[in-house]
Amino acid sequence: DYVNMLLITHAITGAALATIQKSIPAAFAIGLVSHYLLDMIPHYDHNVEPLLAKNDKAGIRKTLALIALDGVFSVIAPLLLFWPVNSAQFMIISAAILGSILPDFLQGLALVFKKNRFVQTHQHFQEWIHAKTRINHIPHIAIPAQITFNLLFIWFGYAIS
């Protein structure tokens, strides 16, 4: 399945965990690892595959627009929340954001580059590590749970920095 937890949750978590880092590579790695750990938890996500299977062009456009909006907020929100005080901290938080959203970007590439060994291997890993339980059918629980999770990591980011 080509599904993604809301990118903003990954980005906020990665940025929060990176607030105490001094190393750009460590921040990137923390963002990357946190992505996979978060994907193990059942969550609300963008699910593109059923729309592709039905060739639902309007649904695909709407979902891609939501993913793009999610992507923009995923970069802006963590930088605003954990406002870097200098260029080194900006680079550290940016590296964590990049690491935290990269796996879902690679998932998008897997839709396009079906014969690329690297992106397809990553796609198989992502499918293997991803939570098998889907909760999109209960958005009244799934979305507030994800918002709560974001708020906890925002608090955590402030608490540890």
Side-chain angles (χ1 to χ4, degrees):
D1 289 345
Y2 294 89
V3 295
N4 303 312
M5 174 181 280
L6 297 180
L7 292 172
I8 196 162
T9 300
H10 288 301
I12 287 174
T13 302
L17 294 172
T19 57
I20 59 169
Q21 291 305 308
K22 304 286 186 239
S23 161
I24 291 170
F28 178 85
I30 286 170
L32 191 65
V33 170
S34 72
H35 178 102
Y36 296 117
L37 292 174
L38 287 175
D39 272 356
M40 293 176 171
I41 302 168
H43 54 272
Y44 182 85
D45 48 31
H46 305 292
N47 194 348
V48 181
E49 199 165 82
L51 300 171
L52 292 172
K54 292 188 290 187
N55 198 24
D56 179 355
K57 289 182 178 32
I60 292 169
R61 277 193 300 276
K62 178 182 173 190
T63 301
L64 290 177
L66 288 172
I67 291 171
L69 189 62
D70 186 16
V72 169
F73 282 119
S74 297
V75 173
I76 295 170
L79 287 170
L80 291 175
L81 288 167
F82 305 109
W83 192 258
V85 294
N86 56 45
S87 62
Q89 193 178 32
F90 175 83
M91 293 301 292
I92 287 168
I93 291 173
S94 296
I97 293 168
L98 178 62
S100 67
I101 63 176
L102 179 63
D104 286 342
F105 177 74
L106 291 174
Q107 266 197 302
L109 290 180
L111 285 167
V112 178
F113 299 104
K114 296 192 180 283
K115 295 186 187 222
N116 182 287
R117 182 175 287 183
F118 174 76
V119 294
Q120 291 306 320
T121 300
H122 175 266
Q123 180 59 29
H124 293 302
F125 174 72
Q126 184 82 345
E127 289 173 4
W128 174 76
I129 207 160
H130 205 275
K132 305 305 180 239
T133 303
R134 300 281 184 238
I135 59 173
N136 282 12
H137 62 286
I138 46 173
H140 60 284
I141 293 173
I143 294 172
Q146 206 154 333
I147 291 169
T148 302
F149 202 77
N150 281 325
L151 292 173
L152 285 172
F153 267 96
I154 292 167
W155 170 83
F156 181 76
Y158 282 107
I160 65 172
S161 61

